[in-house]
Amino acid sequence: KLNNISQNRALKAFEKTALKVPAYSRFLKEKNVSVSSVRTIEDFKKYVPVINKDKTFRLYSREIKKLCLLGEIKDASMIVSSSGYSGCFSYGINTQKEIEKSQEAIDFVLDYIFNVSEKKTLLINCLAMGVRIHSNLVTVVDTSVRPDIVIGVIRTFSSCYDQIILVGENSFVKKVLEDGIEEGLDWKRIKMHMVLGEEILPENLRTYFADILGINPDEESCSSLIGSSFGVAEFGLNIFYETSELIRIRRLMHRDKKLKKALIGRDLDNLPVLFQYNPMRVYVEDIPKDNGLSDIVLTNLEEDTNIPLVRYNIEDEGMGISFQQLKDTLESCGYGSYVPRIRLPLAAIWGRDKLMLEEGFAVRPEFVKELLYQDKNIASGITGNFRLSISKAGLRIEIQAKQDGNRSIEFESKIRNILLDNIHART
């Protein structure tokens, strides 16, 4: 039923955007696509062209109003910028009504996952300044990327709240936890949750964090969550999110290759994140690519958005998974007890970075991260930052050690051996 509603809203979003957004009307005319030819979701998938950042924000970087409804920026309350990682900035221009809807959506997820309506909650937003989190149910403190402020806030206010939710990027949160240990914080005594974003979370890093917090995310009764959230500047925060049930399934796939193959069936050297999403907010498709994988393509279903985007390729590789597909696969593999209670569709997302090598294979940064974090001593001795590049000798991996870390020959040899044992190399 939700899927049918989502499809109908996608058709309405297309019609509205085609008739009222100057840049999109022009684009469809160039592609010889008429609004009247798109009546069903099959027509939508067959005739409506996929767009991307180049066809929108790059092309109209000096005429952004042409991407807006009626060619005007109306009732803008907040502008959200992307990171510009691709060399081009994209934007979400939010009205106050959109912000309120986003706040309601975030509060719903916070309450569903963390029960914040009954537990006094402090949310520490340590994402880079400019990324704001709106909520009516929790106390929010913005620290930006200052580990000393984060630790100071936790030391001062942890006793005043039932629980703390730390929102940040993987490597930064890693530094906060490790700095806190050095400053005498006993993380096991603090009721902590983590929501991690900006990049794909390696499962071995989740294990490393869990060990510091003294929790076991494989247990159904685990009361603390180390999860990730996936946002897109053009669509908003928290478009996709993990739950404790999905985390247990992903960790199961990390251990059971047969389950991973049965559910995912592609790019099996790498582990995608399993996310749920609200199909009333966004229509999700996966568009096949030549390499056997697919790109995640989104259609904005929000009525009040300034920049409506239809079949917009966010250029992250992934695939859609229906709830029924997940349920059937888990039961056929003997994991029926892992079936989630909430019957929402899912997206499995690998991310976008992949380094192609001359030898005919590719390496994802996430694959390297899983290797580096599988050993606790290595994980604690590096910052989490590294660079992949191609040199004359082949793949080059430069890993940043912690400034006060143990950079011994034995430590470097241990890293080198793990990488050589797990990454294809010429002999």
Side-chain angles (χ1 to χ4, degrees):
K1 189 174 180 180
L2 280 174
N3 188 49
N4 290 335
I5 294 172
S6 186
Q7 291 176 354
N8 289 331
R9 287 192 175 188
L11 293 172
K12 290 179 181 179
F14 164 71
E15 183 177 6
K16 181 178 181 180
T17 306
L19 296 176
K20 295 186 177 182
V21 175
Y24 195 63
S25 299
R26 176 182 173 184
F27 175 70
L28 292 179
K29 188 175 181 180
E30 291 173 352
K31 297 293 183 180
N32 295 316
V33 177
S34 64
V35 178
S36 61
S37 66
V38 180
R39 295 301 183 192
T40 66
I41 199 65
E42 288 74 24
D43 296 336
F44 180 84
K45 294 179 179 180
K46 183 176 180 179
Y47 298 120
V48 178
V50 174
I51 60 176
N52 58 21
K53 193 176 290 188
D54 285 339
K55 292 182 175 69
T56 52
F57 294 98
R58 189 185 298 277
L59 186 60
Y60 292 95
S61 62
R62 296 181 181 274
E63 301 175 289
I64 196 166
K65 288 196 296 184
K66 292 185 177 180
L67 297 175
C68 299
L69 283 172
L70 303 177
E72 291 293 336
I73 296 176
K74 186 179 180 182
D75 300 328
S77 182
M78 184 173 67
I79 296 174
V80 180
S81 172
S82 70
S83 66
Y85 176 81
S86 65
C88 172
F89 290 99
S90 54
Y91 302 96
I93 303 176
N94 300 327
T95 64
Q96 187 58 40
K97 191 175 291 186
E98 278 185 291
I99 293 173
E100 290 171 1
K101 282 186 177 181
S102 175
Q103 178 177 297
E104 290 174 2
I106 288 173
D107 280 339
F108 174 81
V109 173
L110 288 174
D111 199 30
Y112 165 57
I113 297 176
F114 303 110
N115 194 22
V116 297
S117 60
E118 296 183 10
K119 295 181 179 180
K120 191 175 181 182
T121 303
L122 176 66
L123 187 149
I124 303 176
N125 173 20
C126 52
L127 294 167
M129 281 299 185
V131 180
R132 293 155 63 188
I133 299 172
H134 303 272
S135 173
N136 276 329
L137 297 181
V138 303
T139 304
V140 179
V141 54
D142 297 316
T143 64
S144 189
V145 284
R146 283 280 303 274
D148 56 333
I149 298 179
V150 177
I151 292 169
V153 167
I154 291 172
R155 193 188 299 276
T156 302
F157 292 101
S158 61
S159 63
C160 305
Y161 288 84
D162 298 326
Q163 59 184 356
I164 294 175
I165 303 173
L166 188 64
V167 182
E169 178 269 330
N170 298 345
S171 296
F172 179 77
V173 169
K174 177 177 182 293
K175 179 170 175 56
V176 168
L177 293 179
E178 292 168 346
D179 286 0
I181 292 173
E182 291 180 6
E183 295 189 24
L185 272 182
D186 185 354
W187 293 108
K188 293 179 175 66
R189 295 175 63 88
I190 302 171
K191 182 62 175 178
M192 289 284 298
H193 304 284
M194 295 179 185
V195 178
L196 304 164
E198 307 259 343
E199 58 181 303
I200 299 299
L201 174 64
E203 208 53 55
N204 286 329
L205 181 58
R206 191 185 334 248
T207 299
Y208 179 72
F209 288 162
D211 184 62
I212 292 175
L213 297 183
I215 63 173
N216 183 357
D218 293 312
E219 292 181 352
E220 190 174 2
S221 60
C222 182
S223 59
S224 291
L225 181 134
I226 302 171
S228 53
S229 169
F230 189 98
V232 183
E234 302 94 313
F235 289 80
L237 289 174
N238 203 48
I239 297 296
F240 303 103
Y241 54 89
E242 282 188 308
T243 65
S244 58
E245 294 168 318
L246 295 181
I247 290 167
R248 290 179 66 232
I249 295 170
R250 188 183 189 229
R251 291 177 67 79
L252 194 59
M253 288 197 299
H254 190 54
R255 301 189 298 269
D256 188 335
K257 293 182 179 180
K258 289 183 179 179
L259 173 63
K260 182 165 65 172
K261 184 176 181 179
L263 184 62
I264 304 300
R266 60 187 83 171
D267 200 5
L268 295 177
D269 285 339
N270 300 284
L271 185 66
V273 183
L274 294 181
F275 290 115
Q276 279 183 341
Y277 65 92
N278 180 357
M280 308 286 280
R281 183 182 180 190
V282 63
Y283 181 64
V284 179
E285 301 174 77
D286 50 16
I287 306 297
K289 300 168 63 175
D290 293 338
N291 64 1
L293 299 177
S294 300
D295 277 335
I296 295 294
V297 172
L298 306 180
T299 297
N300 194 335
L301 305 183
E302 299 284 2
E303 294 182 359
D304 303 307
T305 186
N306 263 290
I307 303 180
L309 295 168
V310 176
R311 302 202 86 196
Y312 183 79
N313 187 350
I314 64 173
E315 298 180 352
D316 280 278
E317 291 182 330
M319 60 183 286
I321 301 175
S322 69
F323 177 84
Q324 191 64 45
Q325 180 185 349
L326 176 67
K327 181 176 183 292
D328 291 346
T329 304
L330 287 171
E331 289 177 346
S332 67
C333 292
Y335 298 116
S337 62
Y338 281 75
V339 176
R341 292 164 297 171
I342 302 299
R343 296 172 173 266
L344 285 174
L346 298 95
I349 298 180
W350 281 270
R352 65 178 58 178
D353 292 324
K354 183 183 283 189
L355 185 65
M356 304 301 298
L357 303 175
E358 293 180 2
E359 290 84 352
F361 63 91
V363 175
R364 290 187 187 274
E366 288 75 23
F367 179 72
V368 177
K369 291 173 187 176
E370 289 287 12
L371 298 178
L372 294 177
Y373 292 127
Q374 72 180 19
D375 185 289
K376 182 179 178 180
N377 292 327
I378 292 177
S380 62
I382 60 176
T383 65
N385 300 315
F386 63 92
R387 177 185 296 163
L388 295 179
S389 60
I390 299 175
S391 69
K392 291 181 180 179
L395 176 64
R396 179 179 177 85
I397 305 177
E398 299 170 87
I399 300 164
Q400 186 180 57
K402 291 173 67 174
Q403 197 167 18
D404 57 349
N406 177 22
R407 296 179 60 183
S408 65
I409 295 176
E410 291 76 16
F411 181 73
E412 293 181 13
S413 295
K414 195 172 187 180
I415 293 177
R416 185 178 292 107
N417 290 336
I418 287 176
L419 296 176
L420 288 174
D421 287 345
N422 291 277
I423 298 178
H424 301 291
R426 286 193 301 248
T427 57

